[in-house]
């Protein structure tokens, strides 16, 4: 039997040869780049770069989709040169992933305002003209990106935003320094290490066995309803946060909490969405909406939700067609949970 097959190959590890999957090799490589500044600096020589301007990613329109261009080191140096910047600026980039072939991917923001002239914000429209693309608000581009690109851009934007907001040590007030990969910042005066943070958020799809509970905030597009979401309080377990958020927002007590999925969500800051299903006790279904948090909440039947899930078109199109219920886009974990609930309910009504 050959020791080489498909995505597996040999690597010397702990004094003996063993097979490592492509995934494990990638994970170990990324770990090395985060830990070792020299290795990361070397990876920047052959890596690819996603560009941002003031946290908006560079995108290129292609029909109804957006493509996400990446620049080689040589292309990036050429661009920086045209705007009077030297290649030192490349070290401001943050590591966001790598290919199966260990080509490292970085994100670099050339538009963030900085006190230093070396880190000057480069002019947006001139850069767009030079690059043949535009810097687009990530929220606006969401529906026109594929899931791989959106996930990568979510990570990149969150990391760039975190670095921009953590330039100073909260203890000493001194400037902090980014490591080469951008996986941490250190205060040189007291060696405090700061790591990028995410806020845990629970999102719960409550069911009474036949219907599911969806709610909307006044900031949502007209007609859009989603599952109940809320930030975890410090010291809280996920189950406690689910109980509390549902009680706070709609005045119900839930049971049978089941984890479904999770997602990193960059809006408005970096959140880790933890999606759960839960049920209310039979008969305990009367909603009391907390109007400080929500504009409305209601129970929806399987038929109403399944019909809304099948609807295609942008929110604007659906609003023009006066759709009675609009659901979150496919890439939101709320969509995934609602779909999961519809599938489960449809299976059990078929079996009945
Ligand atoms: N991806 C998805 O499917 C999906 C769906 C719904 C909501 N969300 C996200 O979930 C998040 C939380 O939902 P919500 O707004 O209903 O939360 P919420 O019900 O906890 O209410 C928000 C309020 O919580 C407080 N808060 C406590 N900790 C906070 C923190 N770390 N950051 C910001 N505010 C904090 C603030 O007062 C804020 O106004 C939102 O940011 C939203 O973007 C994602
Ligand atoms: Mg909420």
């Amino acid at each position: 039997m050959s020791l080489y097959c498909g995505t597996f190959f040999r690597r010397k590890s702990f004094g003996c040869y063993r097979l490592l999957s492509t995934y494990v090799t990638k994970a170990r490589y990324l770990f090395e780049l985060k830990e070792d500044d020299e290795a990361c600096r070397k990876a920047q020589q052959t890596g690819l770069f996603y560009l941002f301007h003031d946290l908006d990613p560079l995108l290129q329109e292609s029909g109804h989709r957006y493509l996400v261009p990446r620049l080689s080191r040589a292309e990036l140096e050429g661009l920086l040169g045209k705007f009077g910047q030297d290649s030192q600026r490349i070290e401001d980039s943050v590591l966001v992933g790598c290919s199966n072939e260990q080509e490292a991917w970085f994100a670099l923001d050339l538009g963030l305002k900085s006190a230093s002239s070396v880190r000057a914000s480069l002019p947006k429209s001139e850069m767009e003209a030079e690059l043949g693309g535009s810097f687009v608000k990530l929220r606006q581009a969401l529906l026109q990106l594929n899931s791989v690109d959106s996930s990568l851009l979510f990570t990149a934007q969150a990391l760039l935003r975190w670095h921009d907001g953590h330039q100073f040590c909260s203890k000493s007030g001194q400037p902090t320094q980014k490591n080469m990969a951008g996986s941490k910042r250190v205060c040189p005066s007291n060696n405090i290490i700061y790591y990028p943070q995410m806020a845990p958020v629970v999102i719960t799809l409550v069911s009474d066995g036949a219907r599911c509970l969806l709610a909307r905030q006044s900031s949502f597009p007209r007609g859009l309803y989603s599952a109940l979401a809320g930030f975890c309080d410090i010291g809280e377990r996920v189950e406690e946060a689910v109980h509390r958020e549902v009680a706070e927002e709609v005045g119900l007590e839930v049971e049978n909490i089941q984890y479904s999925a999770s997602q990193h969500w960059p809006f408005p800051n970096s959140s880790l969405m933890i999606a759960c299903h839960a049920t209310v006790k039979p008969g305990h279904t009367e909603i009391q909406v907390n109007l400080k948090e929500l504009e409305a909440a209601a129970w929806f039947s399987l038929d109403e939700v399944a019909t809304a899930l099948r609807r295609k078109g942008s929110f604007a199109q659906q609003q023009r067609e006066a759709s009675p219920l609009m659901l979150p886009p496919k890439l939101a974990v709320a969509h995934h949970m609602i779909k999961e609930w519809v599938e489960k309910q449809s299976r059990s009504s078929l079996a009945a």
Side-chain angles (χ1 to χ4, degrees), residues 217 228-230 245 249 293-294:
Q217 295 178 2
L228 300 172
E245 274 297 329
E249 297 199 345
E293 301 225 27
L294 299 174

Side-chain angles (χ1 to χ4, degrees), residues 162-163 166-179 183-197:
W162 181 82
H163 280 283
H166 291 79
Q167 304 276 311
F168 296 91
C169 174
S170 56
K171 187 99 174 159
S172 69
Q174 296 298 310
T176 52
Q177 282 171 6
K178 173 178 97 55
N179 70 337
S183 57
K184 60 187 172 190
R185 300 188 75 88
V186 182
C187 173
S189 75
N190 55 25
N191 292 325
I192 293 179
I193 305 174
Y194 294 89
Y195 293 99
Q197 288 167 346

